[in-house]
Amino acid sequence: MTEEITAAQATRILERSTPSGGAGQARFELAAELLAGMRRLDAQMHESMKKLAVVVKASGTTLTDLFGVGPFAAATVIGDAADVARFASRDHFASCNGTAPIEVSSGNRKTCRLSLRGNRRVSHAIHMAAITQIRHSRSDGRACYDRKLAEGKTHKQALRCLKRRISDAIYARLRADARQAAPSTQAGPGGQPGNDSDSSAAGSHPERRLFGQATPEPSATLRPGIPSGEPRHRNPHPGKPAKNLDN
């Protein structure tokens, strides 16, 4: 498998090259054309990311407050999750994004692995957030990962635990953002906000506080909550609640 090369690295290589003969000169010119194409693509990607960051910030989402979740990952989650009310709980959300474990049996041996089903784009966004946290030695995600290793789990098992934690934190943020955007639809008796067991657990559980409480500032979101009186969609993948790897 070849390693990736950046435009800056390719530039340094060409600067040190001295083509000889007609064939060498042709190769040099072709490499220079490819390098120019790389620079154009880099500039386009940079500009697209700047525009995306502006849109995500204007949405008022708090997803980017989670360590490792940048504008691209946040936009992916918001766009694919759509109305968070579709998910009855954080377990159902994890089942739909592929971070909920499924039991795999072989003879007398039983183990768990992540599901290969679910939304792969959201799953990839969560995976990249987990990798980012692990790479930063002082992050709370790395502390969670190291703790699982100390408990005897393998790298893959510890990574699965961290990805599920991130999924739960994302779900709590989505729920909080939706309530903030439409407070009247979530009001309980007497006009007081109703209790939400999933988001409350994500904010109060000692382990889930690693990723921060979902307490966004007052602002709009990309996906406003469902107005009162309209039916809510059920979870597209009903079934038993997903298992939690922390048990």
Side-chain angles (χ1 to χ4, degrees), residues 133-187:
Q133 291 187 13
I134 290 175
R135 287 177 176 175
H136 288 75
S137 59
R138 297 184 179 180
S139 71
D140 293 330
R142 179 56 186 264
C144 172
Y145 171 81
D146 288 341
R147 186 168 59 254
K148 294 303 177 182
L149 292 180
E151 293 173 1
K153 295 186 180 295
T154 65
H155 161 71
K156 288 186 178 181
Q157 291 172 332
L159 179 60
R160 288 198 294 266
C161 291
L162 178 57
K163 289 169 69 173
R164 177 57 193 270
R165 292 287 180 81
I166 295 174
S167 173
D168 290 348
I170 287 176
Y171 177 77
R173 295 271 174 162
L174 290 174
R175 291 294 297 269
D177 288 347
R179 289 197 306 272
Q180 190 67 48
S184 61
T185 64
Q186 301 293 337

Side-chain angles (χ1 to χ4, degrees), residues 61-142:
T61 181
T62 61
L63 287 180
T64 51
D65 293 341
L66 297 173
F67 189 86
V69 178
F72 183 80
T76 299
V77 172
I78 293 173
D80 282 27
D83 184 5
V84 69
R86 297 190 303 119
F87 308 102
S89 68
R90 61 175 177 264
D91 292 334
H92 290 153
F93 180 67
S95 295
C96 290
N97 64 41
T99 58
I102 59 175
E103 187 176 279
V104 180
S105 301
S106 177
N108 295 327
R109 180 174 176 270
K110 293 184 178 180
T111 185
C112 291
R113 66 169 177 80
L114 291 183
S115 173
L116 298 179
R117 299 180 179 180
N119 189 302
R120 306 312 300 166
R121 288 185 296 270
V122 176
S123 177
H124 178 71
I126 294 174
H127 176 80
M128 295 310 298
I131 294 300
T132 300
Q133 291 187 13
I134 290 175
R135 287 177 176 175
H136 288 75
S137 59
R138 297 184 179 180
S139 71
D140 293 330
R142 179 56 186 264

Side-chain angles (χ1 to χ4, degrees), residues 42-59 71-72 75 222:
D42 285 347
Q44 291 173 1
M45 291 176 62
H46 181 69
E47 187 64 26
S48 296
M49 289 301 297
K50 285 175 58 178
K51 293 179 180 179
L52 182 63
V54 171
V55 173
V56 169
K57 184 177 181 180
S59 76
F72 183 80
L222 284 176

